[in-house]
Amino acid sequence: MNDLELDVRPMLRNGGEPFGAIMGAVNELVPGQRLRLLATFRPEPLFSVMASKGFSHEASPLEGGDWQVVFTPTGDSKQAGGSASNPDTWADPDYYLDCTDMDPPEPMVRILEQLEDMGEGQVLFALLGREPIFLFPELEARGHAHVGEFAEDGVTYRLFARAGRRP
């Protein structure tokens, strides 16, 4: 099976944000297919996002300082935002944040700050202007459970996060 290749170098060189294109390519992959990504830098933050989607990675430098990363499905796919054991048992949200008009990374910063001020088990509801892919690994690393989905408009993302135990 051929790899799906995505070259985001022109987009990056023009100041663009390739994350949407990368996630679009991931959604086009057929089972077992790999994604070969070409970028102008080693995309470290993308590695944890792709790991949460069930992909391992192998990064190698190219001439001129560019990078090639091959993402291979591991069969350990996790649903984005699927760290919640049973959100049906969660309490109603204690806090609400509307982050729809904020530019990244402000929504992530605000959500993480709010969760740090909350007690274990309290629930935060946030509206976002996009799926917060980079937020998910941060929530999991800090012990916070989360679930989310796109609203009917297909753009706004609704996130529920339950504060985890403090160390």
Side-chain angles (χ1 to χ4, degrees), residues 81-103:
S83 70
S85 58
N86 186 1
D88 293 336
T89 62
W90 292 7
D92 290 336
D94 299 287
Y95 299 93
Y96 296 86
L97 288 176
D98 183 351
C99 304
T100 53
D101 292 331
M102 297 177 189
D103 292 324

Side-chain angles (χ1 to χ4, degrees), residues 14-78:
N14 289 323
E17 167 55 56
F19 187 75
I22 295 168
M23 290 300 107
V26 169
N27 290 333
E28 291 179 19
L29 294 173
V30 298
Q33 189 176 25
R34 302 181 328 165
L35 174 64
R36 182 173 173 255
L37 178 70
L38 301 171
T40 57
F41 63 94
R42 183 180 162 94
E44 293 283 342
L46 188 59
F47 298 160
S48 61
V49 172
M50 292 298 287
S52 73
K53 291 187 171 293
F55 290 86
S56 64
H57 70 273
E58 184 175 317
S60 54
L62 301 173
E63 288 186 30
D66 293 342
W67 284 82
Q68 169 184 280
V69 183
V70 177
F71 293 101
T72 304
T74 62
D76 296 332
S77 180
K78 300 174 187 172

